[in-house]
Structure formats: C-alpha cells, structure tokens
Amino acid sequence: MQLGLVGLGRMGGNMRERLRRAGHEVVGYDHHREVSDVASLQELVGKLAAPRVVWVMVPADVTEATIDELAATMSEGDIIIDGGNSRFSNDRPRAERLGKRGIGYVDVGVSGGVWGIEYGYGLMVGGADEHVQRCMPIFEALKPEGPYGFVHAGGVGAGHYAKMVHNGIEYGLMHAYAEGYELLRASEYVEDVPGVFKSWREGTVVKSWLLDLLDRALEEDPDLSGIRGYAEDTGEGRWTVEEAIRLAVPMNVIAASLFARFASRQEDSPAMKAIAALRFQFGGHAFKKD
Amino acid sequence: MQLGLVGLGRMGGNMRERLRRAGHEVVGYDHHREVSDVASLQELVGKLAAPRVVWVMVPADVTEATIDELAATMSEGDIIIDGGNSRFSNDRPRAERLGKRGIGYVDVGVSGGVWGIEYGYGLMVGGADEHVQRCMPIFEALKPEGPYGFVHAGGVGAGHYAKMVHNGIEYGLMHAYAEGYELLRASEYVEDVPGVFKSWREGTVVKSWLLDLLDRALEEDPDLSGIRGYAEDTGEGRWTVEEAIRLAVPMNVIAASLFARFASRQEDSPAMKAIAALRFQFGGHAFKKD
Amino acid sequence: MQLGLVGLGRMGGNMRERLRRAGHEVVGYDHHREVSDVASLQELVGKLAAPRVVWVMVPADVTEATIDELAATMSEGDIIIDGGNSRFSNDRPRAERLGKRGIGYVDVGVSGGVWGIEYGYGLMVGGADEHVQRCMPIFEALKPEGPYGFVHAGGVGAGHYAKMVHNGIEYGLMHAYAEGYELLRASEYVEDVPGVFKSWREGTVVKSWLLDLLDRALEEDPDLSGIRGYAEDTGEGRWTVEEAIRLAVPMNVIAASLFARFASRQEDSPAMKAIAALRFQFGGHAFKKD
Amino acid sequence: MQLGLVGLGRMGGNMRERLRRAGHEVVGYDHHREVSDVASLQELVGKLAAPRVVWVMVPADVTEATIDELAATMSEGDIIIDGGNSRFSNDRPRAERLGKRGIGYVDVGVSGGVWGIEYGYGLMVGGADEHVQRCMPIFEALKPEGPYGFVHAGGVGAGHYAKMVHNGIEYGLMHAYAEGYELLRASEYVEDVPGVFKSWREGTVVKSWLLDLLDRALEEDPDLSGIRGYAEDTGEGRWTVEEAIRLAVPMNVIAASLFARFASRQEDSPAMKAIAALRFQFGGHAFKKD
C-alpha cells in the first residue's frame, strides 16, 4: 500500500527500506533534503491518494508541531500514525483534536533499534479497530516474521503505554546484568568474566537478546575500558516510574535503574556531600576536600 | 565414559537420562531406592573403574556429608564433582580436604531447570585444568549444542560463584518483568496485557527466555489468578548480595528483588506497623487494627 | 492582628486556639457549623477590616474551589494564605490568577501535627516580601519560640515545595527506624527491643523527635500487636519522587519508603505472582495457590 | 570505682576525662606513650585491685589481640568490657573463651561521637546481669543525665548488636536528609536552602540531632562546596544488611544508603559501563569514551 513517512533518521530511514523491500510504496520526508523523497510535508501529502496514511517518526519534542502541520494539509478519512517516543498521555488529546477534523490517529511503540531493518520491529499499537485495520499491511511488513512482534494493545495511547513499560523493563533487565557484571569483575573467584557471559547464551535461565549484545560488547572490548560509565535516559524510564507513583505500584527495581542513570551523569553527588559533612560533624571523620 | 551420579531428583534424574542418550555409562545412586541403580554409595564406587569421576547432585544441606562419605570410599586419582547449589565459599576448603587424599574436585553451577534434559544445561565450571579436562566428555554431553552453554570460569569455586551471580541476575530480570506486569495490570490504558507480553517475544529489546516463559504462564492463567504472590529463595540471591557487600559493589536492583521475596512471605510487615504507629503519634492518622 | 481562618479541622482548629492565646483576633469558618464562628465565607470576609488576611486550611482537593469562592468576595490589597497540603505546582498559577485582581498570595507549609498547638508549628513560607511581611505577626504566633521553626524559603511555591521535601525526608526517616525495628524484632540477640529504642533518646546519633514518638508508641503497645502494617500516603511523598525524576536526582531511599507504603496496602502482589509463575515455569518450583 | 581503660584515642581519651570528672579512678593505657598513664598492659593490670574491670576501646582490627593479651594477665573474677565497634558475632565466642578462665565479659555499643564528653554517651550493653551490675557505676558516669542513654539489651552480643542496628538506622536517616538536600539544591523553587534546614530544627516532624548538625555544617559551608561527596563505611552498615539477609528482613532503605557510600568511592561505575555498552549495541546510542 501507499504510506507517507515523516522522519528518516536512524529509525525512519531503516523502516522506509524495510517497507520498500516488502513492496510498499513509501513517500518519505525529512528536513535533511539529501535523504528526503519530497521537498515538503505538503508535497508528501499531495503525492498520496486519499484516504492517506502518514507515519510520523520524529523526535518527541517536535512530534506535536509536525502532526499539527501535517494535519492542516490532510483530509477527512486520512490517518496519522505516531511511531515516535511520545508520552502516552499526549495521545488521547491529540486523537480528539484530529478526530474533530475526521482524521484517524494510531499510536505505535516501535522497538528493535538498529537491528529492526533486518529482524523486524516489535510493534505495540493503540487506536480504534478500524484505523488499526487500515494500517495492518504496513504493520505486517515492519514486524518480524512469525507469531510475535505485534500487538493491538488497546485504544488510543495503549501503544505508547506498552512501549513505555517495555523500556522501563529494559532498564531493569540491563541493570541486573550490569550489577552481575560489576560483581564478577570485583571478585577474585572468576577469572574469565567475558567467558561466563558468553556461556550464558544457551542453556541458562538468563539467556536473552540483551545478553547476546553484552557478549558482543565484551568481545569488542573485554574490560569495557574504552567506555565511560555514563548513560542518558530518553524519557520512557521516567514515565514508567511516574506511572507507578500515580497507580501506587511498588517499583524498586526499575526506579533504582533509573536513579543509577541519573547518578552516572553527576560529577559529584550533592547528597554524598551532605553525608560527608554529617560524618565530620558527629564523629570527626575527616572528609575529602573538593 | 563412566560416571557415578549421586542424587537423582528433578535435576539429577534428567541429567542421567541426557548422559545415557549421549552414550555415557552412568551409575546412579539415590536414597529413593526405586530410582537408584545401586543400593549404596559403596556399591556405586565399586561399580566404577579407577580413576573414577562421581558427580554429586544433592540438596545443599546434605552435600558436605555426602561428599565426605563418598570420599571415604574413593581413591587417589578420582574426581568428585559438586553440581549442586553449594555456596562458593565451601569449595576451596573442600578441595583442599579432598586434595590431601589425592582426590580432585570440580565445582559446577548447573542452569536450565526442567528444560535442560531437552535443550541442554548451562554449565559453569571451576577447578584445575587437569581435572576439568578429564570431565569434558560429560560436560559436552550435558551442555547445549553449539558454541555456548559452557565455561571453565576459573579455579575451584569459580563455577559456583558464576552460578551464584547468574541466579542473582535472574532475580533482577524476573523482577523487572514483574514490575512491568504489575504496572500494565494497574493501568487503564492497556486492554490486552497477555497480548503485550506475547508480542514482545520477537523484535524487541526485552526478548528473552524468561519472557517466553512468562507468556507461557499467562497462556495458562491470563490473570495469574490461581497463583499467590509468594516466593521462596534458595540461597544464591542472598549470597550475591552478601558478596556485593563484601566487595563494596552497589547492588540496588538485585537487593530489591531479594527483599521483595522476603516481603512476599510476611503475613504482616513489622516495619510498616512501626510506620503506622508513628503516623498516629505525630499526626493523629488513624491506623488499622490488627 | 485580625485573621480569617477557613477550615477548623484537626490542624485549623488548633491553630485558631494558638492564635487566640497569642492575642490575635481570629474569625473562623468551617462547614461544620458547630465549630464555626460564622455561617459563610461571605460573612467571614464581611467581619474583617480591609486590607484582609485569610488563611485557608482545608483538604487539598477542595482548596482550589475554596480559594476561588473566597477570592470572589475579597478586595484589592487583601491576602490569601494557603496553609494546606497543596501541590507546589498549583501555587504560581493561583498567585497569578489572584494577582490580576490585586489579591496577594502566600503559600505556607505547616508541620507539627497534633503537637503544634502546644509546641508551635514549623512554618515554611513562599511569597513576595511585602505579602509575607504583612503576615508576620500571625507566623510569629504560630511558630515555636526561639530561633527556629520559620523560613521564608523563596517566592510563591517555595513554602509548599519545602514542606513537600520535608515530608519526603520524613518518609525516609520513618522507614529507617522501621527497618531497624523489624531487624531487632527478628534477631535472637536483643531481648529488650523497646528498651533499646528508649535508650537511644539521649546520647546517640539517632536521637530525634520521631524516635521519641516511636518510644511512646512502644510504651503503649510494646509489640505493636494492635496495629496493622498498613499506611496511607497523603501526596507529598509521591510529589517528592516525581520532582526527583523531573530534576534527575537519585532518590533510592525516599522512593523505597514510598513504595513500601504502596505495598502495605496490597492484599497480594501482582509482581510476586509473576515471580512465582516464572519460578514454576523454569524450575518446577511449586507455587502457593491463591 | 577503679577502671582500667585501654585505648585513649578520640573516644577513649574523652571517656577517661568524663569518668575522672565523675570521681572515678581511671588507669589508661595507649600505645602512644604521651597520653598513656602506664607503660604496658601488664602495668595497667598491676595497678588495679582485684576484682578488676578493664574497658577496651581500640580499633576493631586489634580488639581480639588486645583482649587476648589482656586476659593473659588478668584473674578469675575480673571483667573485660569491649566498647569498640566489634562485630556482634565475635562476642559469644570471646565470652566463652574468657569464661573458661573465670573472666567476665560485657559488650558495649557506644554512641555519641565527639560530643559524648560533654553530653554523655549512649550506651547499649550486652552481658550477664552480675557482670553488668558490677560495671554500673562506670555506665552511670558515661551516660547522659536523665532517664535515657542506657540499655541492658540482653545477653552477650546484645550491646554490639543494638549498636550495629543504631548505625544502620543512622545510615538511613542521614541519607533521607541528604536526598532532600540534593532535591532542594536542584530545584528552582526554593531560594534559601540552608534557611529551610535551619527552620526545621523546631516545630517539625523531621527535627533531630542529625538535622542540627546538618544546619551547623551548612552554616560553615552553605553550599558544602569544600567537601567531596565521598564516604567511608566502618562496618556496622554492612553487618546490618547482612543480618537483614540472614533473617529475611526487607531492608531497601538502609541497603540503598550503604550502596550509595560504595558508589561514592568509585572513580567510574563498571555497571554503568555495561549499561552504556548495551545502549550502543541495541540502539546505536553513542557512549562517552573513557
């Protein structure tokens, strides 16, 4: 089928390629002209026959503006898909706004990272049945072969919500491996730490794709000596813990993973300054000068 | 090759079967006579040609006594393997004790649970090269096919140490999925929670064997309504956190997973009684009567 | 000076009393007629000479409506104080709204609970200097004697913000004592647990008012056997962790205290159901039926 | 009464002074000759009339050797007190060893730090009634005036156990304030952070001695700019969490406080290196070079 695709970065560019390989007609737009098929959003919309489907795959901070600009040129019966990392709470207001103009809205959480072009993308979809049905050929082409990799999780917002929780879980999974890695490194018992991780890839309870990737990273740099212990966070981890707070769900593991990222970005810890100051005050314990 | 195997429970029984399928001659002993090939440890040792290899696969609390009894009937040049869930710190003293009598010692952490008979067991091995080499045919038969599933992690103790960390990581992984599960259940956004987990099995960053199993569990009981939120712990999680404390490794995620198991077994929380008492004292907040 | 006081519950009622003892003229309104000095907000405003100061001390969920109703009857030059547990983020929009009508706004976080009438209330104040200055006689009467117990923390919102952090810290402090209490109860080493807490009230690093109250609680019920381990949360703890997330501040301790309250209110833990289900799936570990 | 006191460092030296002010006869020994009253342990024992009481107040790593040397020169009916930071688990074996020679043993956890000389020391005592009774005049002189500051917590080991839990709680309390401090520093709402802490010293739920000390520290250095966020730990925090693990007590707050100290001493985090490596592998997220 025909699809408009707005945003051709690391994710969008690969998705266009995968869709074309599957025989779909994709008109892509990006503000980097050299990768763009058209010169403007208007031109993109003009190239598509109504009723249109346009997939927006841009950074979260420009998604709202992009969708508004796009909607202004689209018609009743068209559908906009947001496949970016939007906060789920934006979806329903957005769908209502578009709905007033007769434009359908589907939110899709997309997983798979740089590997998706080859293995397919995990898709979590929210929206009305009729809208999701219309987009199914696209979803079929993007998802991995086989019975998994796609879910219509619920109404508008459910796709981004499921993706948010996916990423929250991902934080926890990664940190569990990371803590185990640090302990093995610290211990005098195990001599071949990369070998241990490699061995776990089959026959164990902890086998996973993340483990495969950690093995790969240790093959490239067995001590991870070229990498600083610093990690950004892209929003979904924070939103997951915020939702846990809203819904009174205990979430020590994912929260600790999130807080560890915050700490990794600090030059020094104000909290630990306070601890050092207190230890000096009550016990005369010397502190380190800053 | 010939192998003595002591302990034919859920793990040992399956291992005997897998070894026999691979063509090895296994003499098994268990105190349950109906599954045992011989009537006693002495008979087991008697049936093996020197130099012997005997694999002990019994509950941690009887491992020490079993090995001592076994060693008393074995000879210089023999090897004892402990494949049970022993604390790594027992391995070196045990190896030294056996070493004085010329008996080799190899410690093996075995993963794979009830699935190992079919897919192979993940093996993490500690011991001297010569001892490990002698046992390799056994390890080859037990491990999964392919390049993974086996590591000679270091000297005596390294096998159990690696298995301990494996289980610590496993606690964290499981709890990350569990927190995500609880949040999805609590939220009004996602309608098809089991469907979300099923979809994640391909194309996502969180795909793993544990996820496959969680999908399986949700197929059997979509709300987990027949299962109480109660979990034992078998030691390795505790030891992992103890080692983190000994080696000054921050371990918030695995520790939180362990503490959640402790909490799951409490009728009521003494700590939260103290919180409720304090809230009443300073704020007049009513407490619930016990 | 003259003060209108709206809300005469556990906090407001005691504050009226403390203010009157200090010689101030307080006109109190409450929807419970038997404690109210006037029949309506209008009557309350009518009894005060302009420029008026009215202190609102009502539950958070009716604060906004109360202030709006009140503002409708007040005049340019008047001041409204919100001393309730409002979220700090409501303060600036509210102040702007009132400011357009010439009404000043001061937010006050009030601590001290049921003990404040006797010992004075800890007051954390946000607002413009001129507004805060006008209210100082009231603050002086409410705060404890001596150099502490009052701070003008910053502009509008700073008072509720400081109070929010105060309560977040309070969660952490309480939980630290509570964990220590539970450990002492569990151990076979210490025979006189209440005696240990009582002893700590002087000469130790952990002495505090909360400890005094815990001692008091243990005097009344040495095993806390009449109290269930169940605790509500009133919002500030949640907001504190939300702010930590917004500002990328690691906050494991206060978050864990908050999550423990969530857990205390669960009949069963969905997360631990998932753990139990997984343990059954990979290891055949029996689970408890629900 | 007469007391031998071994170890005249920051704690022991002040205790000698406080005991002398109370009229007791203290013979002190320290390996620093300039502060020592006698030249050797033998001379110290020789100066005391039987039955003797000798208080040992030396670093934990030399306590065992000091007590053994001391015991060799002492007689049946004498008592040795260990007031140092020994692990509680050493107390019972030590008491048994001394008991065979007729020497009594009392373990005392001592709190109060550099302030104890003035305000008195919080004392937590373990041992047999008859031994504790014999030492009471010493305890009376050391403890603060008034009803608090002393507990006979149980048999041998109970004193160090209670002190261990005291310190574990102390970790949690300090970290709760520290997290609140960091949040206030990070926020744009509160302008006068030191003023907020100072105000909390009266009329609030969080008032405590630690808060008084934090206010003191902020008076000396309002931004704590001269202090590095680095903190050692002296053992009791680790033992507290180890005990929580042994006794299956959930302990997220105190454990998190302990782990934060570990993290404060790391140049870089191996765990976070693994996180950064994983993010690069699955998502192409750039990592910082080390």
Side-chain angles (χ1 to χ4, degrees):
Chain A
M1 63 179 270
Q2 235 186 5
L3 180 77
L5 180 53
V6 179
L8 301 166
R10 200 157 45 197
M11 291 296 283
N14 283 351
M15 288 164 64
R16 176 173 62 176
E17 178 60 22
R18 187 171 170 96
L19 285 165
R20 284 179 175 164
R21 286 184 197 164
H24 293 292
E25 183 192 341
V26 183
V27 183
Y29 170 75
D30 196 279
H31 64 105
H32 289 97
R33 296 294 300 271
E34 66 279 14
V35 297
S36 191
D37 301 322
V38 290
S40 67
L41 286 180
Q42 287 85 333
E43 192 186 332
L44 176 135
V45 173
K47 290 221 169 180
L48 302 172
R52 305 170 190 86
V53 178
V54 180
W55 184 303
V56 178
M57 201 69 190
V58 299
D61 54 344
V62 296
T63 298
E64 203 72 48
T66 303
I67 288 178
D68 284 348
E69 189 184 342
L70 198 56
T73 68
M74 290 176 72
S75 322
E76 199 175 325
D78 291 350
I79 291 175
I80 292 178
I81 300 171
D82 175 18
N85 284 323
S86 297
R87 202 181 194 282
F88 68 94
S89 48
N90 295 329
D91 288 318
R92 291 186 185 176
R94 197 183 280 163
E96 278 176 38
R97 218 161 59 236
L98 295 172
K100 284 178 189 156
R101 309 202 33 227
I103 301 175
Y105 179 74
V106 174
D107 57 289
V108 183
V110 180
S111 188
V114 294
W115 301 81
I117 187 172
E118 186 174 353
Y119 298 123
Y121 297 91
L123 304 177
M124 295 141 256
V125 175
D129 278 345
E130 54 165 314
H131 299 142
V132 174
Q133 281 312 313
R134 288 253 312 280
C135 305
M136 280 308 296
I138 298 301
F139 298 148
E140 286 293 343
L142 286 174
K143 73 177 276 296
E145 287 180 38
Y148 310 121
F150 174 85
V151 65
H152 182 187
V156 166
H160 282 138
Y161 201 97
K163 177 57 163 41
M164 173 193 79
V165 177
H166 166 280
N167 282 32
I169 291 173
E170 178 192 308
Y171 277 49
L173 300 179
M174 287 167 70
H175 215 78
Y177 288 116
E179 288 183 356
Y181 172 76
E182 180 165 336
L183 182 57
L184 285 172
R185 277 285 171 226
S187 171
E188 68 278 30
Y189 280 88
V190 168
E191 292 158 35
D192 183 8
V193 174
V196 167
F197 279 90
K198 186 178 289 299
S199 81
W200 288 345
R201 295 182 60 176
E202 274 306 328
T204 70
V205 178
V206 302
K207 68 181 175 182
S208 73
W209 190 55
L210 279 166
L211 179 69
D212 296 346
L213 294 178
L214 187 49
D215 174 43
R216 200 179 148 97
L218 291 169
E219 284 228 332
E220 293 171 6
D221 182 353
D223 297 320
L224 304 181
S225 56
I227 296 177
R228 231 178 86 194
Y230 178 104
E232 298 287 352
D233 70 281
T234 52
E236 294 89 350
R238 299 187 188 210
W239 305 333
T240 303
V241 182
E242 286 169 0
E243 275 294 282
I245 292 171
R246 179 175 73 89
L247 295 165
V249 169
M251 194 170 268
N252 285 294
V253 162
I254 295 175
S257 309
L258 177 66
F259 293 146
R261 294 203 181 182
F262 294 167
S264 81
R265 306 199 297 257
Q266 296 185 319
E267 283 287 314
D268 197 359
S269 160
M272 292 310 299
K273 282 171 176 268
I275 299 290
L278 280 170
R279 295 184 79 236
F280 172 72
Q281 290 291 337
F282 70 71
H285 301 285
F287 53 82
K288 298 218 173 192
K289 295 237 172 73
D290 204 19
Chain B
M1 63 179 271
Q2 237 188 2
L3 180 77
L5 180 53
V6 179
L8 301 166
R10 199 157 44 196
M11 291 295 285
N14 282 352
M15 288 164 65
R16 176 173 62 176
E17 179 60 22
R18 186 169 169 96
L19 285 165
R20 283 180 176 163
R21 287 184 196 164
H24 293 292
E25 182 192 341
V26 183
V27 183
Y29 170 75
D30 196 279
H31 64 106
H32 289 98
R33 294 296 299 272
E34 64 280 14
V35 296
S36 189
D37 302 321
V38 291
S40 67
L41 285 179
Q42 287 84 334
E43 192 185 333
L44 176 136
V45 172
K47 289 221 169 180
L48 301 171
R52 305 170 189 86
V53 178
V54 180
W55 184 303
V56 178
M57 201 69 190
V58 298
D61 56 344
V62 295
T63 297
E64 203 72 46
T66 303
I67 288 178
D68 285 347
E69 188 184 343
L70 197 57
T73 67
M74 290 176 72
S75 321
E76 198 173 328
D78 290 352
I79 291 176
I80 292 177
I81 298 171
D82 175 17
N85 283 324
S86 298
R87 201 181 195 282
F88 69 93
S89 49
N90 295 330
D91 288 317
R92 291 186 185 175
R94 196 183 281 162
E96 278 176 37
R97 217 162 58 238
L98 295 172
K100 283 177 188 155
R101 307 203 32 227
I103 300 174
Y105 178 74
V106 174
D107 58 290
V108 184
V110 180
S111 188
V114 295
W115 301 81
I117 187 171
E118 186 174 352
Y119 297 122
Y121 296 91
L123 304 178
M124 296 142 255
V125 175
D129 278 345
E130 54 165 313
H131 299 142
V132 173
Q133 281 311 313
R134 287 254 311 281
C135 305
M136 279 309 296
I138 298 301
F139 297 147
E140 286 291 344
L142 286 174
K143 73 179 275 297
E145 286 180 39
Y148 311 122
F150 174 84
V151 64
H152 181 188
V156 166
H160 281 137
Y161 201 96
K163 178 56 163 42
M164 172 192 79
V165 177
H166 167 279
N167 282 33
I169 291 172
E170 178 192 308
Y171 277 49
L173 299 179
M174 288 167 69
H175 215 78
Y177 287 116
E179 287 183 355
Y181 172 76
E182 181 166 338
L183 181 57
L184 285 173
R185 279 284 171 226
S187 172
E188 68 278 31
Y189 280 87
V190 168
E191 292 158 36
D192 183 7
V193 174
V196 167
F197 279 90
K198 186 179 288 300
S199 82
W200 288 345
R201 293 182 61 175
E202 273 307 328
T204 70
V205 178
V206 303
K207 68 182 175 182
S208 73
W209 190 55
L210 279 165
L211 179 69
D212 296 346
L213 295 177
L214 187 50
D215 174 43
R216 199 179 149 97
L218 291 169
E219 285 229 331
E220 294 171 6
D221 182 354
D223 297 319
L224 305 181
S225 56
I227 296 177
R228 230 179 85 195
Y230 176 104
E232 298 286 352
D233 70 282
T234 52
E236 294 89 348
R238 298 187 188 210
W239 305 333
T240 302
V241 183
E242 286 169 1
E243 276 293 281
I245 292 170
R246 181 177 71 88
L247 295 166
V249 169
M251 193 169 268
N252 285 294
V253 163
I254 296 175
S257 310
L258 177 65
F259 293 146
R261 295 205 181 180
F262 293 167
S264 80
R265 307 199 296 258
Q266 295 186 319
E267 282 289 313
D268 197 359
S269 158
M272 291 310 299
K273 282 170 175 269
I275 299 290
L278 280 170
R279 294 184 80 235
F280 173 72
Q281 290 291 337
F282 70 72
H285 301 285
F287 54 83
K288 297 219 174 194
K289 295 240 172 70
D290 203 21
Chain C
M1 63 179 270
Q2 235 188 4
L3 179 78
L5 179 54
V6 178
L8 301 167
R10 198 156 47 197
M11 292 295 285
N14 282 351
M15 288 162 64
R16 177 174 60 177
E17 178 61 22
R18 186 170 170 96
L19 285 164
R20 284 178 175 165
R21 286 184 198 164
H24 293 292
E25 182 192 340
V26 184
V27 183
Y29 170 75
D30 195 278
H31 64 105
H32 290 96
R33 296 295 299 271
E34 66 278 16
V35 297
S36 189
D37 301 322
V38 290
S40 68
L41 285 179
Q42 287 84 333
E43 191 185 335
L44 175 135
V45 172
K47 289 219 170 181
L48 301 171
R52 304 169 189 87
V53 178
V54 180
W55 184 303
V56 178
M57 201 70 190
V58 299
D61 56 343
V62 295
T63 297
E64 203 73 47
T66 304
I67 287 178
D68 285 347
E69 188 184 343
L70 198 56
T73 67
M74 290 175 71
S75 322
E76 199 174 326
D78 290 352
I79 291 176
I80 293 178
I81 299 171
D82 176 16
N85 284 323
S86 298
R87 202 181 193 281
F88 68 93
S89 48
N90 295 330
D91 288 316
R92 290 186 186 175
R94 195 183 282 162
E96 279 177 37
R97 217 163 59 239
L98 295 173
K100 284 176 190 156
R101 309 203 31 229
I103 301 174
Y105 178 73
V106 174
D107 57 290
V108 183
V110 180
S111 188
V114 294
W115 301 81
I117 187 172
E118 186 173 354
Y119 298 123
Y121 297 91
L123 304 178
M124 296 141 256
V125 174
D129 277 345
E130 54 167 310
H131 300 142
V132 175
Q133 281 311 313
R134 288 253 311 280
C135 306
M136 280 308 297
I138 299 300
F139 298 148
E140 286 291 344
L142 286 173
K143 72 178 278 296
E145 287 180 39
Y148 311 122
F150 174 85
V151 65
H152 181 189
V156 166
H160 281 137
Y161 201 96
K163 178 55 166 40
M164 172 193 80
V165 177
H166 166 280
N167 282 33
I169 291 172
E170 178 192 308
Y171 277 50
L173 300 179
M174 286 167 69
H175 215 78
Y177 288 116
E179 287 184 355
Y181 172 75
E182 181 166 337
L183 181 57
L184 284 172
R185 278 284 171 226
S187 171
E188 68 277 31
Y189 279 88
V190 167
E191 292 158 36
D192 182 8
V193 173
V196 167
F197 279 89
K198 185 178 288 299
S199 83
W200 288 344
R201 294 181 63 175
E202 274 306 328
T204 71
V205 178
V206 302
K207 67 182 175 182
S208 73
W209 190 54
L210 279 166
L211 178 69
D212 296 345
L213 294 178
L214 187 49
D215 173 44
R216 199 178 149 98
L218 291 169
E219 285 229 332
E220 292 170 7
D221 181 353
D223 297 319
L224 304 180
S225 56
I227 297 177
R228 231 179 86 197
Y230 177 104
E232 299 287 351
D233 71 281
T234 51
E236 294 90 348
R238 299 187 188 210
W239 305 333
T240 303
V241 183
E242 286 169 1
E243 276 294 282
I245 293 171
R246 180 176 73 88
L247 296 166
V249 169
M251 195 171 267
N252 285 294
V253 162
I254 295 174
S257 310
L258 177 66
F259 293 147
R261 294 203 181 181
F262 293 167
S264 81
R265 306 199 296 256
Q266 296 185 318
E267 282 289 314
D268 198 359
S269 160
M272 291 310 299
K273 282 171 175 269
I275 299 289
L278 279 170
R279 294 184 79 236
F280 173 72
Q281 289 290 338
F282 70 72
H285 302 285
F287 54 81
K288 299 220 172 192
K289 296 239 172 72
D290 202 22
Chain D
M1 64 178 270
Q2 235 187 4
L3 179 78
L5 179 53
V6 178
L8 301 168
R10 199 156 45 196
M11 292 295 284
N14 283 351
M15 288 163 64
R16 176 173 61 177
E17 178 61 22
R18 186 170 169 95
L19 285 164
R20 283 180 175 165
R21 287 184 197 164
H24 293 292
E25 182 191 341
V26 184
V27 183
Y29 170 76
D30 196 279
H31 63 105
H32 289 96
R33 296 295 299 273
E34 66 278 15
V35 296
S36 190
D37 301 321
V38 290
S40 68
L41 285 179
Q42 288 84 336
E43 192 184 334
L44 175 136
V45 173
K47 289 219 168 181
L48 301 171
R52 303 170 190 88
V53 178
V54 179
W55 185 302
V56 177
M57 201 70 190
V58 298
D61 56 344
V62 296
T63 297
E64 203 73 47
T66 303
I67 288 178
D68 285 348
E69 189 184 341
L70 197 57
T73 67
M74 290 175 72
S75 322
E76 198 175 325
D78 290 352
I79 290 175
I80 292 177
I81 299 172
D82 175 17
N85 283 324
S86 297
R87 200 181 195 282
F88 68 93
S89 49
N90 295 329
D91 288 317
R92 290 187 186 174
R94 196 183 281 162
E96 278 177 37
R97 218 162 57 237
L98 295 173
K100 284 177 188 156
R101 309 203 31 228
I103 300 174
Y105 179 74
V106 174
D107 59 288
V108 183
V110 180
S111 188
V114 295
W115 301 80
I117 188 171
E118 187 174 352
Y119 297 122
Y121 296 92
L123 304 178
M124 296 141 255
V125 174
D129 277 346
E130 54 166 311
H131 300 141
V132 174
Q133 281 312 314
R134 287 256 308 281
C135 305
M136 279 309 295
I138 299 301
F139 298 148
E140 287 291 346
L142 287 174
K143 74 178 276 294
E145 285 180 41
Y148 310 121
F150 174 86
V151 65
H152 181 188
V156 166
H160 281 136
Y161 201 96
K163 178 55 166 37
M164 172 193 79
V165 177
H166 166 281
N167 282 32
I169 291 172
E170 178 192 307
Y171 277 50
L173 299 179
M174 287 167 70
H175 215 78
Y177 288 116
E179 288 184 355
Y181 172 76
E182 181 166 338
L183 182 57
L184 285 173
R185 279 285 171 224
S187 171
E188 68 277 31
Y189 280 88
V190 168
E191 292 159 36
D192 182 8
V193 174
V196 168
F197 279 90
K198 185 178 289 299
S199 82
W200 288 345
R201 293 183 62 175
E202 273 308 327
T204 71
V205 178
V206 302
K207 68 182 174 181
S208 72
W209 190 55
L210 279 165
L211 178 69
D212 296 345
L213 295 177
L214 187 49
D215 173 45
R216 199 180 149 97
L218 291 169
E219 285 228 331
E220 293 170 5
D221 181 355
D223 298 318
L224 305 180
S225 56
I227 296 178
R228 232 179 85 196
Y230 177 104
E232 298 287 352
D233 69 281
T234 52
E236 293 89 349
R238 299 187 187 210
W239 305 334
T240 302
V241 182
E242 286 169 0
E243 275 294 281
I245 293 171
R246 180 176 73 86
L247 296 165
V249 169
M251 195 170 268
N252 286 294
V253 163
I254 295 174
S257 309
L258 177 65
F259 293 147
R261 294 203 181 181
F262 293 167
S264 81
R265 306 198 296 255
Q266 296 186 319
E267 283 288 315
D268 197 357
S269 159
M272 291 311 298
K273 282 170 175 270
I275 299 290
L278 279 170
R279 294 184 80 236
F280 173 72
Q281 290 290 336
F282 70 72
H285 301 285
F287 53 82
K288 298 220 172 192
K289 297 241 172 70
D290 203 24

